[in-house]
Amino acid sequence: MSTDSPPVPALAAPAPRPGPVPQPALTVAGTVVAALDDGSAMPAVDSPRPHLHPVRTLGGTEVTGTAPADHRHHRGVGIAVPDVDGTSHWGGRTYVRGKGSTLLDDHGAQHVVEQDGDGAGALRQIVSWRDRAGDEQFREERRLRAVAAPGGWRLDWSSVLHARHPLTIGSPATNGRPGAFYGGWFWRTPFTGAGTLTACGAGTGHAHGSRSPWLAVSAPGAWLLAVQHDEVLPWFVRTEEYTGFGPALAFDARREVSLDEPLRIRLSVLVADGTVPAPGTVRAAALGLLVTGVDA
């Protein structure tokens, strides 16, 4: 009988570590104009959420900012809401009546649960909004599209948020902080010293709180023209400490969202190189966006 030990089986080679999952991008005529970040790497205190960043003009100028030093929870272009039934989908501190901005353990998260697109200018996502306990608050159908447009390219954004139970949406303004009615679709730019123009006039004083159907934001080398489709909400516009803008979901009172009436958010944005044109040309471009911008 052989006393030799049985051969030791060869160890299988370790499986390669998976690399980063490629994030989808929107392109126009073969040029990448916007990358989508699913938000999974964001810290919990920033209220993780899918967003677009970087977004660029056709000439390559970056027009979004992410995790800036002044507000680490600001992330490109996305939907960020400070108060959904007491859950922060904005990130950072929460404004508490009588106390001011307070860091609470109230941060929710948005998760992409389905995604498909044409590999170029169109993308569809299903996004689950969950509170800190993991209970679903909204199921969102989001459609994005990038197409060529006169002077640059156009982003069409359409979101339909279905409440899983009756909800209310608030903002720091509805919680007692005057003028701070931010929350909803929000675009954080890297611009400093930006100019603004609306149908109500030029300057942030005319833009902030206005119900103009369109808003132009300009900085050296690039400008943006956003239009609201359907319901026109008041614009939240900031250009001093930083430049960011978006329609406000809860301006002067909490907004109720029922099971029967989903929340709809639909905008088109022209992203252009160069200097903002004369006001008459901007108004004409805004009218064009209102006519041609359709559901993504």
Side-chain angles (χ1 to χ4, degrees), residues 245-281:
F245 62 92
L249 290 176
F251 177 61
D252 55 6
R254 296 190 71 86
R255 184 187 185 101
E256 297 182 358
V257 186
S258 69
L259 294 175
D260 298 329
E261 292 291 335
L263 179 62
R264 300 179 186 275
I265 300 172
R266 197 163 68 100
L267 299 97
S268 296
V269 184
L270 174 66
V271 181
D273 287 291
T275 303
V276 63
T281 303

Side-chain angles (χ1 to χ4, degrees), residues 41 84 88 98 120 152 174-175 204 209 224 253 268 271 288:
V84 179
S88 172
T174 65
N175 293 337
T204 306
L224 308 168
S268 296
V271 181

Side-chain angles (χ1 to χ4, degrees), residues 112-234:
V112 177
V113 294
E114 291 183 27
Q115 181 168 281
D116 59 73
D118 63 3
L123 184 70
R124 171 185 172 274
Q125 295 178 320
I126 301 296
V127 182
S128 175
W129 293 47
R130 296 185 177 273
D131 64 16
R132 177 180 169 277
D135 295 328
E136 190 169 60
Q137 297 179 299
F138 283 119
R139 178 61 62 104
E140 174 193 352
E141 183 174 4
R142 179 178 298 186
R143 294 178 182 271
L144 309 174
R145 182 175 59 184
V147 295
W153 67 275
R154 187 184 82 228
L155 170 67
D156 289 333
W157 184 300
S158 176
S159 287
V160 181
L161 284 74
H162 299 272
R164 310 307 274 181
H165 52 83
L167 297 166
T168 65
I169 290 173
S171 67
T174 65
N175 293 337
R177 183 183 172 191
F181 44 82
Y182 54 82
W185 183 92
F186 185 73
W187 188 307
R188 171 64 197 249
T189 81
F191 303 158
T192 56
T196 62
L197 179 68
T198 67
C200 303
T204 306
H206 285 103
H208 186 62
S210 79
R211 292 183 182 267
S212 169
W214 57 269
L215 167 71
V217 178
S218 60
W223 63 286
L224 308 168
L225 175 59
V227 302
Q228 298 186 53
H229 301 291
D230 305 323
E231 178 186 8
V232 176
L233 300 171

Side-chain angles (χ1 to χ4, degrees), residues 54-111:
V55 178
R56 294 187 172 93
T57 66
L58 290 176
T61 299
E62 197 165 299
V63 291
T64 52
T66 193
D70 53 68
H71 292 78
R72 301 291 299 178
H73 49 281
H74 287 188
R75 303 290 175 131
V77 186
I79 302 180
V81 181
D83 181 352
V84 179
D85 265 7
T87 293
S88 172
H89 287 279
W90 179 267
R93 297 176 182 271
T94 295
Y95 189 84
V96 179
R97 190 181 297 272
K99 293 184 178 180
S101 295
T102 307
L103 187 61
L104 303 176
D105 187 12
D106 64 347
H107 300 92
Q110 301 170 26
H111 305 283

